[in-house]
Coordinates of all heavy atoms in Angstrom, one line a residue:
D1 N 0.8 -1.2 0.0 CA 0.0 0.0 0.0 C 0.8 1.2 0.0 O 1.9 1.3 0.7 CB -0.9 0.0 1.2 CG -2.0 -1.2 1.2 OD1 -2.3 -1.5 0.1 OD2 -2.5 -1.6 2.3
A2 N 0.5 2.4 -0.7 CA 1.3 3.4 -0.9 C 0.9 4.5 0.2 O -0.2 4.4 0.9 CB 0.9 4.1 -2.1
D3 N 1.8 5.4 0.5 CA 1.6 6.6 1.4 C 1.9 7.8 0.5 O 3.0 8.1 0.2 CB 2.6 6.5 2.6 CG 2.5 7.6 3.5 OD1 1.4 8.3 3.4 OD2 3.4 7.8 4.4
I4 N 0.7 8.3 0.0 CA 0.9 9.5 -0.9 C 0.5 10.8 -0.2 O -0.4 11.0 0.6 CB -0.1 9.3 -2.1 CG1 0.2 8.0 -2.8 CG2 -0.1 10.5 -3.0 CD1 -0.7 7.6 -3.9
R5 N 1.4 11.8 -0.4 CA 1.2 13.1 0.0 C 1.2 14.2 -1.1 O 2.3 14.4 -1.5 CB 2.3 13.5 1.0 CG 2.3 12.6 2.3 CD 3.5 13.0 3.1 NE 3.6 12.0 4.2 CZ 3.2 12.2 5.5 NH1 2.5 13.3 5.8 NH2 3.2 11.2 6.4
A6 N -0.1 14.4 -1.6 CA -0.3 15.2 -2.9 C -1.6 15.6 -3.0 O -2.6 15.0 -2.4 CB 0.3 14.4 -4.1
E7 N -1.9 16.5 -4.0 CA -3.3 16.9 -4.3 C -3.5 16.0 -5.6 O -2.7 15.9 -6.6 CB -3.2 18.3 -4.8 CG -2.7 19.2 -3.7 CD -3.5 19.2 -2.4 OE1 -4.7 19.1 -2.3 OE2 -2.9 18.9 -1.3
I8 N -4.6 15.3 -5.6 CA -4.8 14.3 -6.7 C -6.1 14.8 -7.4 O -7.1 15.2 -6.9 CB -5.1 12.8 -6.1 CG1 -3.9 12.3 -5.4 CG2 -5.6 12.0 -7.2 CD1 -4.2 11.1 -4.6
V9 N -5.9 14.8 -8.8 CA -7.0 15.2 -9.7 C -7.1 14.1 -10.7 O -6.0 13.9 -11.5 CB -6.7 16.5 -10.4 CG1 -7.9 16.9 -11.3 CG2 -6.6 17.7 -9.3
A10 N -8.2 13.5 -10.9 CA -8.4 12.4 -11.8 C -9.8 12.2 -12.2 O -10.7 12.7 -11.5 CB -7.8 11.1 -11.3
S11 N -10.1 11.3 -13.1 CA -11.5 10.9 -13.4 C -12.1 10.1 -12.3 O -13.2 10.3 -11.8 CB -11.6 10.2 -14.7 OG -12.8 9.8 -15.1
A12 N -11.3 9.1 -12.0 CA -11.7 8.2 -10.7 C -10.5 7.8 -10.1 O -9.5 7.7 -10.5 CB -12.4 6.8 -11.4
V13 N -10.7 7.7 -8.8 CA -9.7 7.5 -7.7 C -10.1 6.3 -6.9 O -11.1 6.3 -6.2 CB -9.3 8.7 -6.9 CG1 -8.1 8.3 -5.9 CG2 -8.9 9.8 -7.9
V14 N -9.2 5.2 -6.6 CA -9.3 4.2 -5.7 C -8.2 4.2 -4.7 O -7.1 4.2 -5.1 CB -9.5 2.8 -6.5 CG1 -9.6 1.8 -5.4 CG2 -10.6 2.8 -7.4
V15 N -8.5 4.4 -3.4 CA -7.6 4.5 -2.4 C -7.4 3.2 -1.7 O -8.4 2.7 -1.1 CB -7.9 5.7 -1.4 CG1 -6.9 5.8 -0.3 CG2 -8.2 7.0 -2.1
T16 N -6.3 2.6 -1.6 CA -6.0 1.3 -0.9 C -5.1 1.6 0.1 O -5.0 0.7 1.1 CB -5.5 0.3 -1.9 OG1 -4.2 0.7 -2.5 CG2 -6.4 -0.1 -2.9
G17 N -4.3 2.7 0.1 CA -3.2 3.0 1.1 C -3.6 4.3 1.7 O -4.8 4.5 2.1
S18 N -2.7 5.1 2.1 CA -2.9 6.4 2.8 C -2.7 7.6 1.9 O -1.6 7.7 1.2 CB -1.8 6.4 4.0 OG -1.9 7.6 4.6
V19 N -3.6 8.5 1.9 CA -3.5 9.7 1.1 C -3.6 10.9 2.1 O -4.5 11.0 2.8 CB -4.5 9.8 0.0 CG1 -4.5 11.1 -0.7 CG2 -4.5 8.6 -1.0
T20 N -2.7 11.8 2.0 CA -2.7 13.0 2.7 C -2.8 14.2 1.7 O -1.8 14.3 1.0 CB -1.5 13.2 3.7 OG1 -1.4 12.1 4.6 CG2 -1.6 14.6 4.5
G21 N -3.8 14.8 1.5 CA -4.0 15.9 0.5 C -5.5 15.7 0.0 O -6.1 14.7 0.1
S22 N -5.9 16.7 -0.9 CA -7.2 16.7 -1.4 C -7.3 15.8 -2.6 O -6.3 15.5 -3.3 CB -7.6 18.1 -1.8 OG -6.9 18.6 -2.8
I23 N -8.5 15.3 -2.9 CA -8.7 14.4 -3.9 C -10.0 15.0 -4.7 O -11.0 15.3 -4.2 CB -9.1 12.9 -3.6 CG1 -8.0 12.3 -2.8 CG2 -9.5 12.2 -4.8 CD1 -8.3 10.9 -2.3
T24 N -9.8 15.3 -6.1 CA -10.8 15.8 -6.9 C -11.0 14.8 -8.1 O -10.1 14.5 -8.7 CB -10.5 17.2 -7.5 OG1 -10.3 18.1 -6.4 CG2 -11.6 17.7 -8.3
A25 N -12.2 14.2 -8.2 CA -12.5 13.3 -9.1 C -13.8 13.6 -9.9 O -14.8 13.9 -9.3 CB -12.6 11.9 -8.5
G26 N -13.6 13.5 -11.3 CA -14.8 13.8 -12.1 C -15.9 12.9 -12.0 O -17.1 13.2 -12.3
K27 N -15.6 11.6 -11.7 CA -16.6 10.5 -11.6 C -16.8 9.9 -10.4 O -17.9 9.8 -9.8 CB -16.3 9.4 -12.7 CG -16.4 9.9 -14.2 CD -16.1 8.8 -15.1 CE -16.3 9.4 -16.5 NZ -16.0 8.4 -17.5
K28 N -15.7 9.4 -9.7 CA -15.9 8.6 -8.4 C -14.6 8.7 -7.6 O -13.5 8.4 -8.1 CB -16.4 7.2 -8.9 CG -16.5 6.2 -7.7 CD -17.0 4.9 -8.3 CE -17.3 3.9 -7.3 NZ -17.7 2.5 -7.7
V29 N -14.8 8.6 -6.3 CA -13.7 8.2 -5.3 C -14.2 7.0 -4.5 O -15.3 7.1 -4.0 CB -13.4 9.4 -4.5 CG1 -12.4 9.0 -3.3 CG2 -12.9 10.7 -5.2
E30 N -13.3 6.0 -4.4 CA -13.5 4.9 -3.7 C -12.5 4.6 -2.7 O -11.3 4.5 -3.1 CB -13.8 3.7 -4.6 CG -14.1 2.4 -3.9 CD -14.5 1.4 -5.0 OE1 -14.4 1.5 -6.2 OE2 -14.9 0.2 -4.5
I31 N -12.8 4.4 -1.5 CA -11.8 4.2 -0.4 C -12.1 2.9 0.2 O -13.1 2.5 0.6 CB -12.0 5.2 0.8 CG1 -11.8 6.7 0.3 CG2 -11.0 4.9 1.9 CD1 -12.1 7.8 1.4
L32 N -11.1 2.0 -0.2 CA -11.3 0.6 0.2 C -11.0 0.5 1.7 O -10.6 1.3 2.4 CB -10.3 -0.3 -0.6 CG -10.5 -0.3 -2.1 CD1 -9.6 -1.2 -2.8 CD2 -12.0 -0.6 -2.4
A33 N -11.2 -0.9 2.3 CA -11.1 -1.1 3.7 C -9.7 -0.8 4.3 O -9.6 -0.4 5.4 CB -11.5 -2.5 3.9
T34 N -8.7 -0.9 3.4 CA -7.3 -0.6 3.8 C -7.0 0.8 3.6 O -5.8 1.2 4.0 CB -6.4 -1.5 3.1 OG1 -6.5 -1.2 1.6 CG2 -6.6 -2.8 3.5
G35 N -7.8 1.6 3.1 CA -7.5 3.0 2.7 C -7.8 4.0 3.7 O -8.7 3.9 4.5
S36 N -7.1 5.2 3.7 CA -7.4 6.3 4.5 C -7.0 7.6 3.8 O -6.1 7.7 3.0 CB -6.7 6.3 5.8 OG -5.3 6.4 5.5
V37 N -7.9 8.7 4.0 CA -7.7 9.9 3.3 C -7.7 11.0 4.4 O -8.7 11.0 5.3 CB -8.8 10.2 2.3 CG1 -8.6 11.6 1.7 CG2 -8.7 9.2 1.2
K38 N -6.7 11.9 4.6 CA -6.7 13.0 5.3 C -6.7 14.2 4.4 O -5.6 14.5 3.9 CB -5.5 13.0 6.2 CG -5.6 12.0 7.4 CD -4.4 12.2 8.3 CE -4.4 11.1 9.4 NZ -3.4 11.3 10.4
G39 N -7.8 14.8 4.1 CA -8.0 15.9 3.2 C -9.4 15.9 2.7 O -10.1 15.0 2.9
D40 N -9.6 16.9 1.8 CA -11.0 17.1 1.3 C -11.2 16.2 0.0 O -10.3 16.0 -0.8 CB -11.2 18.6 1.1 CG -11.1 19.5 2.3 OD1 -11.2 18.9 3.3 OD2 -10.9 20.6 2.0
V41 N -12.4 15.8 -0.2 CA -12.8 15.0 -1.4 C -13.9 15.8 -2.0 O -15.0 16.2 -1.6 CB -13.3 13.6 -0.9 CG1 -13.9 12.8 -2.1 CG2 -12.2 12.8 -0.2
V42 N -13.7 15.9 -3.4 CA -14.7 16.5 -4.4 C -15.0 15.5 -5.4 O -14.1 15.3 -6.1 CB -14.2 17.9 -4.9 CG1 -15.2 18.5 -5.8 CG2 -13.8 18.9 -3.8
S43 N -16.2 15.1 -5.5 CA -16.5 14.0 -6.5 C -18.1 13.8 -6.4 O -18.8 14.0 -5.3 CB -15.8 12.7 -6.2 OG -16.3 11.8 -7.1
P44 N -18.8 13.5 -7.6 CA -20.2 13.3 -7.6 C -20.5 12.0 -6.9 O -21.7 11.7 -6.6 CB -20.5 13.4 -9.0 CG -19.4 13.0 -9.8 CD -18.2 13.7 -8.9
D45 N -19.6 11.0 -6.8 CA -19.8 9.8 -6.3 C -18.7 9.4 -5.3 O -17.6 9.4 -5.6 CB -19.9 8.7 -7.4 CG -20.5 7.3 -7.0 OD1 -20.9 7.2 -5.8 OD2 -20.4 6.5 -7.8
L46 N -19.0 9.0 -4.1 CA -18.1 8.5 -3.0 C -18.5 7.2 -2.4 O -19.6 7.2 -1.9 CB -18.0 9.7 -1.9 CG -17.0 9.4 -0.8 CD1 -15.6 9.2 -1.1 CD2 -17.3 10.5 0.3
V47 N -17.6 6.3 -2.3 CA -17.8 5.1 -1.7 C -16.7 4.9 -0.6 O -15.6 4.9 -1.0 CB -17.8 3.9 -2.7 CG1 -18.0 2.6 -2.0 CG2 -18.8 4.1 -3.7
I48 N -17.2 4.6 0.6 CA -16.1 4.2 1.6 C -16.5 2.8 2.2 O -17.6 2.6 2.8 CB -16.3 5.3 2.8 CG1 -16.1 6.7 2.2 CG2 -15.2 4.9 3.9 CD1 -16.2 7.7 3.3
H49 N -15.7 1.9 1.9 CA -16.0 0.5 2.4 C -15.7 0.5 3.8 O -15.1 1.1 4.5 CB -14.9 -0.4 1.6 CG -15.2 -0.6 0.2 ND1 -15.8 -1.7 -0.4 CD2 -15.1 0.2 -0.9 CE1 -15.9 -1.5 -1.7 NE2 -15.5 -0.4 -2.1
E50 N -16.3 -0.6 4.5 CA -16.2 -0.8 5.9 C -14.7 -0.8 6.3 O -14.0 -1.7 5.7 CB -16.9 -2.1 6.3 CG -16.9 -2.3 7.8 CD -17.8 -3.5 8.3 OE1 -18.5 -4.0 7.4 OE2 -17.6 -3.9 9.3
G51 N -14.2 0.0 7.2 CA -12.9 0.0 7.6 C -12.2 1.0 6.9 O -11.0 1.5 7.5
G52 N -12.6 1.8 5.8 CA -12.0 2.8 5.3 C -12.2 4.0 6.0 O -13.2 4.1 6.8
R53 N -11.3 5.0 6.0 CA -11.3 6.2 6.8 C -11.2 7.4 6.0 O -10.5 7.6 5.0 CB -10.2 6.1 7.9 CG -10.3 4.9 8.8 CD -9.2 4.8 9.6 NE -8.0 4.4 8.7 CZ -7.0 4.1 9.1 NH1 -6.5 4.2 10.4 NH2 -6.0 3.8 8.2
L54 N -11.8 8.5 6.5 CA -11.9 9.8 5.8 C -11.9 10.8 6.8 O -12.9 10.8 7.8 CB -13.1 10.0 4.9 CG -13.3 11.4 4.3 CD1 -12.1 11.8 3.4 CD2 -14.6 11.5 3.5
Q55 N -10.8 11.7 6.8 CA -10.8 13.0 7.8 C -10.7 14.2 6.8 O -9.6 14.3 6.3 CB -9.7 12.8 8.7 CG -9.6 14.0 9.6 CD -8.4 13.9 10.6 OE1 -7.7 12.9 10.6 NE2 -8.2 15.0 11.3
G56 N -11.8 15.0 6.7 CA -11.9 16.1 5.8 C -13.3 16.3 5.4 O -14.3 15.6 5.7
K57 N -13.4 17.4 4.5 CA -14.7 17.8 4.0 C -15.1 17.1 2.7 O -14.1 16.6 2.0 CB -14.8 19.3 3.8 CG -14.6 20.2 5.0 CD -14.7 21.5 4.6 CE -13.5 22.0 4.0 NZ -13.5 23.5 3.6
V58 N -16.3 16.8 2.5 CA -16.9 16.2 1.2 C -17.7 17.1 0.5 O -18.7 17.8 1.0 CB -17.5 14.9 1.6 CG1 -18.2 14.3 0.4 CG2 -16.7 14.0 2.3
D59 N -17.5 17.3 -0.9 CA -18.3 18.1 -1.7 C -18.7 17.1 -2.9 O -17.9 16.8 -3.7 CB -17.6 19.2 -2.2 CG -18.4 20.1 -3.1 OD1 -19.6 19.7 -3.4 OD2 -18.0 21.3 -3.5
M60 N -20.0 16.7 -2.9 CA -20.5 15.8 -3.8 C -21.4 16.6 -4.9 O -22.5 16.5 -4.9 CB -21.3 14.6 -3.3 CG -20.4 13.8 -2.4 SD -21.3 12.3 -1.7 CE -21.7 11.4 -3.1
Y61 N -20.7 17.4 -5.7 CA -21.4 18.3 -6.6 C -21.8 17.5 -7.7 O -21.4 16.4 -8.0 CB -20.3 19.3 -7.1 CG -19.4 18.7 -8.1 CD1 -19.4 18.6 -9.4 CD2 -18.1 18.1 -7.4 CE1 -18.6 18.1 -10.2 CE2 -17.2 17.6 -8.4 CZ -17.4 17.5 -9.7 OH -16.5 16.9 -10.5
R62 N -22.7 18.1 -8.5 CA -23.3 17.5 -9.7 C -23.2 18.6 -10.8 O -23.6 19.6 -10.7 CB -24.7 17.1 -9.6 CG -24.8 15.9 -8.7 CD -25.2 14.6 -9.4 NE -25.4 13.5 -8.5 CZ -24.7 12.3 -8.6 NH1 -24.0 12.3 -9.6 NH2 -25.0 11.5 -7.8
S63 N -22.3 18.3 -11.8 CA -22.3 19.2 -12.9 C -23.6 19.2 -13.7 O -24.4 18.3 -13.7 CB -21.1 18.9 -13.9 OG -21.3 17.7 -14.6
P64 N -23.9 20.4 -14.5 CA -25.1 20.4 -15.2 C -25.4 19.2 -16.2 O -26.4 18.7 -16.4 CB -25.1 21.7 -16.1 CG -24.2 22.6 -15.2 CD -23.1 21.5 -14.6
A65 N -24.3 18.7 -16.7 CA -24.2 17.6 -17.6 C -24.7 16.2 -17.0 O -25.3 15.3 -17.6 CB -22.9 17.4 -18.3
Q66 N -24.5 16.2 -15.7 CA -24.9 15.0 -14.8 C -26.4 15.1 -14.4 O -26.8 14.1 -13.9 CB -24.0 14.7 -13.8 CG -22.5 14.5 -14.1 CD -21.6 14.6 -12.8 OE1 -21.8 15.4 -12.1 NE2 -20.6 13.6 -12.9
E67 N -27.1 16.2 -14.5 CA -28.3 16.3 -13.9 C -29.4 16.0 -14.8 O -29.2 15.7 -16.1 CB -28.6 17.7 -13.4 CG -27.7 18.0 -12.3 CD -27.9 19.5 -11.8 OE1 -28.5 20.3 -12.6 OE2 -27.5 19.8 -10.6

């Protein structure tokens, strides 16, 4: 598992290790049971599996194209 300290911007993000920093995804963020995020998450879809951890703010916006 990785230990990432960065701002992540992608279409979809799956977290299996540790992320310190914000995550912005156009489609989906998924935090698996072994994953942890310390930072803000911006994505229209967020899945946190049992055991996954998140410390930060969540913004689940919907762009006009998604409505």
Side-chain angles (χ1 to χ4, degrees):
D1 293 334
D3 182 12
I4 298 173
R5 296 172 187 267
E7 308 302 311
I8 298 171
V9 178
S11 177
V13 177
V14 178
V15 179
T16 61
S18 174
V19 173
T20 301
S22 66
I23 299 175
T24 301
K27 293 185 179 179
K28 181 179 183 178
V29 174
E30 185 171 4
I31 303 172
L32 300 184
T34 57
S36 68
V37 175
K38 287 186 180 179
D40 298 341
V41 174
V42 177
S43 178
D45 191 8
L46 173 63
V47 177
I48 303 174
H49 291 253
E50 185 175 345
R53 294 169 296 181
L54 171 62
Q55 180 182 352
K57 294 184 290 183
V58 175
D59 183 355
M60 295 181 70
Y61 71 93
R62 292 250 182 234
S63 70
Q66 294 172 320
E67 293 179 345

